[in-house]
């Protein structure tokens, strides 16, 4: 089941169900008044099915999507794929040993990524920093986590990264990762009663520049060195999330060191079983 946030014709923020090429606005109730309420429910799919729907809206380019987030924090995990470990070690000699050790350690790298106002949805711009010269998207399977720290669904995540800033000094990680329009989520959340096996979740990154595909690469969740459950377990230690959380689980696709995003690029990330998140890139 796919649930999304969008603006309706009256500019009201709504929640709806996505079924094939149609969007069915949900009639919310006092008990289930928001997307967060659905995520927090003990049985989110059953809760969504219990709500009435309005007439279907055809999904086209005129539909104004919003990122499927309310008040949740967005966190991210780093160096969960071998390719990510290698890329991070390429960024600088000083950081190489840090990233090598965290890849093999029991404790994962977890960092705060974004508050909701820094998150862009489908079709909305993502930003490359004006003070960075080496910027890349990071396509990530993103876990949707309830306040009880239960994984209830997946969405597509783009963990934008300024690699030259992070490579200069690992202590600059927050500046390389967290800034306005630094995170993409969407186009919707796919709710699951039980997650599919990680190796069945394919990830594709495509970057289009001036109408031409300049980057296209694939991986899958089966290439991860850690499980989804292990990452959530570490995130929950001595931490609470009253509204739930989103956790980007790391990237296995990293463009080569001679590639950087440019303003006007279009980043398309497809995750099997979820959908495609598409964002234009801006700077300044």
């Amino acid at each position: 089941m796919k649930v999304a946030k969008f603006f309706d014709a009256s500019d009201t923020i709504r929640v709806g169900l996505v079924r094939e090429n149609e969007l069915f606005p949900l009639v919310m109730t006092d008990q289930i008044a928001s997307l967060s309420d659905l995520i927090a429910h003990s049985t989110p799919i059953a809760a969504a099915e219990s709500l009435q729907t309005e007439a279907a809206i055809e999904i086209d380019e005129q539909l104004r999507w919003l990122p499927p987030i309310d008040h949740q924090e967005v966190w991210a995990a780093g160096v969960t794929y071998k390719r990510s470990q290698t890329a991070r070690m390429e960024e600088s000699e000083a950081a190489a040993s840090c990233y090598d050790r965290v890849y093999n350690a029991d404790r994962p790298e977890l960092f705060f990524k974004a508050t909701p106002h820094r998150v862009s949805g489908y079709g909305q711009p993502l930003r490359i920093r004006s003070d960075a010269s080496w910027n890349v998207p990071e396509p990530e399977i993103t876990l949707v986590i309830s306040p009880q720290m239960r994984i209830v669904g997946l969405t597509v995540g783009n963990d934008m990264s300024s690699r030259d800033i992070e490579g200069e000094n690992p202590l600059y990680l927050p500046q390389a990762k967290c800034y306005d329009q630094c995170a993409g989520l969407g186009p919707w959340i796919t709710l699951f009663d039980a997650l599919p096996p990680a190796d069945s979740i394919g990830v594709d990154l495509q970057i289009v520049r001036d109408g031409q595909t300049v980057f296209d690469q694939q991986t899958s969740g089966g290439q991860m060195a850690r499980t989804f459950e292990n990452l959530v377990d570490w995130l929950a230690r001595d931490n609470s999330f009253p509204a739930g959380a989103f956790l980007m689980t790391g990237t296995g696709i990293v463009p080569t060191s001679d590639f950087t995003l440019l303003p006007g690029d279009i980043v398309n990330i497809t995750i099997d079983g979820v959908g495609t998140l598409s964002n234009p890139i801006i700077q300044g």
Side-chain angles (χ1 to χ4, degrees), residues 145-160:
I145 305 169
S146 75
Q148 295 75 35
M149 301 309 289
R150 186 166 61 92
I151 304 170
V152 299
L154 301 176
T155 192
V156 182
N158 185 344
D159 174 18
M160 296 284 287

Side-chain angles (χ1 to χ4, degrees), residues 119-162:
V119 178
S120 296
Y122 181 93
Q124 297 177 330
L126 288 172
R127 182 180 301 273
I128 51 180
R129 291 185 61 114
S130 58
D131 59 355
S133 59
W134 184 13
N135 301 281
V136 296
E138 296 189 2
E140 309 201 9
I141 301 167
T142 300
L143 308 178
V144 183
I145 305 169
S146 75
Q148 295 75 35
M149 301 309 289
R150 186 166 61 92
I151 304 170
V152 299
L154 301 176
T155 192
V156 182
N158 185 344
D159 174 18
M160 296 284 287
S161 183
S162 298

Side-chain angles (χ1 to χ4, degrees), residues 66-212:
L66 290 166
I69 186 172
D70 287 339
H71 309 295
Q72 299 94 330
E73 297 175 357
V74 182
W75 285 65
V79 202
T80 57
Y81 291 76
K82 184 65 177 178
R83 178 69 188 96
S84 180
Q85 178 206 25
T86 303
R88 293 299 176 264
M89 293 173 69
E90 290 171 352
E91 286 174 355
S92 75
E93 293 183 8
S97 64
C98 297
Y99 292 116
D100 185 48
R101 290 198 303 270
V102 79
Y103 181 78
N104 295 295
D106 288 337
R107 183 185 295 274
E109 178 195 12
L110 295 172
F111 58 90
F112 181 80
K113 175 62 182 178
T115 49
H117 85 276
R118 296 182 172 92
V119 178
S120 296
Y122 181 93
Q124 297 177 330
L126 288 172
R127 182 180 301 273
I128 51 180
R129 291 185 61 114
S130 58
D131 59 355
S133 59
W134 184 13
N135 301 281
V136 296
E138 296 189 2
E140 309 201 9
I141 301 167
T142 300
L143 308 178
V144 183
I145 305 169
S146 75
Q148 295 75 35
M149 301 309 289
R150 186 166 61 92
I151 304 170
V152 299
L154 301 176
T155 192
V156 182
N158 185 344
D159 174 18
M160 296 284 287
S161 183
S162 298
R163 293 188 64 187
D164 56 326
I165 293 176
E166 183 181 358
E168 183 178 347
N169 191 317
L171 296 180
Y172 295 159
L173 176 69
Q175 296 171 76
K177 292 286 190 177
C178 186
Y179 52 89
D180 286 344
Q181 296 166 300
C182 66
L185 292 176
W188 44 67
I189 292 169
T190 300
L191 296 172
F192 291 98
D193 288 323
L195 287 183
D199 60 6
S200 72
I201 306 174
V203 181
D204 178 89
L205 170 63
Q206 180 190 76
I207 303 171
V208 177
R209 179 174 297 163
D210 298 326
Q212 302 295 318

Side-chain angles (χ1 to χ4, degrees), residues 19 31 63 68 138 144 168 197 205 215 218 223 227 232 249:
R19 295 172 179 159
Q31 292 74 33
L63 192 58
E138 296 189 2
V144 183
E168 183 178 347
L205 170 63
F215 186 89
Q218 300 77 39
Q223 300 301 309
T227 66
V232 173
T249 59

